[in-house]
Amino acid sequence: MNFFKDVFLSLLCLLGSNALPYDNEYGPDYGNEWIMFIDDKGMNHTMDFSTLPTDDRGIMFGDAYFYLYTRQNNESEILNIPDDDSPIISKNFNSSNELKVIAHGWYSGSNAEWVQNFKDIILRTEDANVIIVDWSELADNPIYPWSACSTRYVGKRTAKLLDKFSQANQLNYVHLIGHSLGAHVMGYTGMFTNVTVDRITGIKQ
Ligand SMILES: *[C@@H]1O[C@H](CO)[C@@H](O)[C@H](O)[C@H]1NC(C)=O
Ligand SMILES: *[C@@H]1O[C@H](CO)[C@@H](O)[C@H](O)[C@H]1NC(C)=O
Ligand SMILES: *[C@@H]1O[C@H](CO)[C@@H](O)[C@H](O)[C@H]1NC(C)=O
Ligand SMILES: *[C@@H]1O[C@H](CO)[C@@H](O)[C@H](O)[C@H]1NC(C)=O
């Protein structure tokens, strides 16, 4: 049943490329929780994002994973989002330092050379906390709109990570950095998170 729902929603995502522009005149939360779109036959449909899974798996078939690096750990520390109310405890996070979160784009992953180099250069330049978002399971999809649709889900997960992380760790300065579709991930992260985001950098292809 869920499988068919996923496929159905994915198809809606594809059609959603004809979405009408963001406009609140259509009602509350337009462009946020729902949009209208015109399909190939000129039919007018409503696409309800509020029915998409919020904390479950991605709308496609994959998930997002989070890895923390600091000057204290060359090996990544895996950050898991707990299912219950408990916060995320980290061995290596240093609350004196800035938190930088990096998200890769389409057809990429946390092991991409530029992502690892970027993280290394940051840590060489400053004593920072760097979290890499790996959403490659969803980004490695030949159909671009499917990956594009997943950015909202990944942003929601990243927002949740920051929220749970901030329960146990004082966040000093939060800088979100995304490349390509990763910039969309960071936009959604900023939209959904309850922590203060100080800066978002979107890097174009
Ligand atoms: C689509 O339907 C909505 C609600 O029924 C309406 O407000 C909107 O004007 C329609 N859009 C177009 C382009 O027909
Ligand atoms: C991390 O790796 C760099 C370069 O490979 C090395 O210079 C540094 O000593 C390592 N730090 C730790 C804590 O292992
Ligand atoms: C945390 O970072 C500060 C520099 O910003 C440093 O002085 C301090 O030693 C670090 N703490 C730990 C436990 O590494
Ligand atoms: C942010 O706070 C609101 C209100 O307390 C809560 O409903 C929401 O789930 C929180 N967001 C996240 C991502 O935890």
Side-chain angles (χ1 to χ4, degrees):
M1 186 61 205
N2 267 340
F3 173 78
F4 291 109
K5 193 174 133 212
D6 284 348
V7 170
F8 179 67
L9 290 171
S10 306
L11 288 174
L12 285 183
C13 280
L14 289 174
L15 295 168
S17 54
N18 289 331
L20 297 169
Y22 179 90
D23 194 339
N24 273 322
E25 82 190 35
Y26 294 113
D29 280 333
Y30 185 74
N32 181 11
E33 290 301 337
W34 64 284
I35 58 169
M36 291 177 298
F37 65 92
I38 314 284
D39 69 16
D40 287 345
K41 298 191 177 100
M43 295 285 291
N44 186 357
H45 300 269
T46 298
M47 184 174 171
D48 187 356
F49 285 115
S50 66
T51 62
L52 292 182
T54 48
D55 296 324
D56 304 313
R57 306 283 290 174
I59 52 172
M60 310 312 158
F61 308 99
D63 213 334
Y65 306 92
F66 304 94
Y67 303 101
L68 173 73
Y69 297 85
T70 70
R71 284 187 175 174
Q72 307 308 312
N73 63 306
N74 272 357
E75 292 284 311
S76 64
E77 177 182 350
I78 299 170
L79 302 177
N80 292 310
I81 301 175
D83 291 328
D84 55 21
D85 286 341
S86 53
I88 297 172
I89 311 288
S90 163
K91 290 196 298 284
N92 298 296
F93 181 80
N94 184 336
S95 59
S96 310
N97 301 332
E98 192 169 314
L99 171 62
K100 291 185 190 287
V101 187
I102 304 173
H104 62 80
W106 192 37
Y107 260 116
S108 191
S110 61
N111 289 327
E113 202 179 340
W114 81 266
V115 177
Q116 290 296 320
N117 285 344
F118 195 28
K119 175 261 296 172
D120 288 341
I121 289 167
I122 290 170
L123 290 178
R124 214 176 300 143
T125 313
E126 61 180 295
D127 199 352
N129 307 285
V130 181
I131 293 177
I132 296 178
V133 181
D134 188 311
W135 62 289
S136 52
E137 286 179 357
L138 296 159
D140 281 346
N141 193 315
I143 307 170
Y144 181 84
W146 285 35
S147 294
C149 282
S150 299
T151 59
R152 183 185 166 92
Y153 168 78
V154 178
K156 242 182 193 179
R157 290 298 282 172
T158 308
K160 182 135 192 151
L161 176 98
L162 291 178
D163 288 0
K164 295 217 167 234
F165 201 77
S166 69
Q167 285 172 23
N169 307 281
Q170 168 110 33
L171 300 184
N172 166 4
Y173 186 96
V174 178
H175 184 182
L176 309 179
I177 303 161
H179 171 243
S180 183
L181 278 185
H184 295 243
V185 168
M186 289 318 186
Y188 281 126
T189 302
M191 183 165 121
F192 288 119
T193 187
N194 290 330
V195 312
T196 301
V197 173
D198 297 277
R199 186 174 169 193
I200 300 182
T201 304
I203 306 169
K204 209 166 166 265
Q205 191 84 44

